[in-house]
Amino acid sequence: MVQYKWVALSNTTIGMLMASIDMTIVLIAMPAIFNGIKIDPFSSFQYLLWIMFGYSIVTATLLVTFGRLSDMFGRVKLYNLGFAIFTVGSILLSVTPNTGHTGAIELIVFRIVQGVGAAFLFSNSGAIITDAFPENERGKSIRNKSISFLSRLAHRTRFGRSLSCL
């Protein structure tokens, strides 16, 4: 039987890795995104900015509020809700049906949905690990989670290029 602490560490690490890679991966895939929705990014600069930064703005804005809500209603429950919201946002982004300005607006809205899910993931992952591990193992577990967050810097270009080729 796998102990809860290892399940908590693996789930929060995967969630943090997904959410942190998604922050910057769009920058690499931007030419393919704009080709797919048939918009010139230089003539529609506002879409470019919102697609790139809408996710980060929403995540940063909601982080503290979701942390407090998670303290009140349960960290694991709201972490799982965030994982579900993030996944739904990702699926919606992959099946955006429209092109042109309508497609760009859909991408922005779906990126904001992802940002809401990421805010739940970011605000709860550290607290879940702190609750799951005993005091003498917390440093090691938080280090492992932090390494996954930082590893996005090394992998974002590879992931971005491979996803934009699909």
Side-chain angles (χ1 to χ4, degrees), residues 4-121:
Y4 169 74
K5 64 182 182 180
W6 300 115
V7 172
L9 179 63
S10 62
N11 285 341
T12 55
T13 302
I14 289 169
M16 288 291 291
L17 184 63
M18 281 185 351
S20 63
I21 284 177
D22 203 57
M23 269 183 181
T24 55
I25 199 170
V26 172
L27 183 63
I28 308 296
M30 202 52 82
I33 291 170
F34 277 98
N35 284 338
I37 60 173
K38 297 173 181 51
I39 286 187
D40 178 26
F42 299 113
S43 65
S44 304
F45 199 68
Q46 70 276 11
Y47 296 136
L48 174 77
L49 291 175
W50 273 105
I51 289 172
M52 282 176 27
F53 298 120
Y55 177 93
S56 299
I57 290 169
V58 168
T59 301
T61 304
L62 296 175
L63 201 60
V64 175
T65 304
F66 286 169
R68 178 66 181 133
L69 287 173
S70 299
D71 288 341
M72 293 172 15
F73 299 112
R75 294 177 179 126
V76 174
K77 194 184 315 181
L78 291 181
Y79 180 86
N80 290 337
L81 174 66
F83 215 103
I85 291 171
F86 185 87
T87 304
V88 166
S90 298
I91 291 169
L92 289 172
L93 279 166
S94 70
V95 296
T96 302
N98 294 315
T99 58
H101 296 290
T102 308
I105 297 293
E106 288 174 351
L107 287 177
I108 292 167
V109 169
F110 299 154
R111 286 280 293 164
I112 288 172
V113 169
Q114 269 189 325
V116 171
F120 277 114
L121 296 176

Side-chain angles (χ1 to χ4, degrees), residues 21 24 147-159:
I21 284 177
T24 55
I147 287 171
S148 77
F149 181 77
L150 293 173
S151 72
R152 75 174 160 92
L153 299 173
H155 299 297
R156 69 178 175 199
T157 342
R158 259 184 248 125
F159 289 146

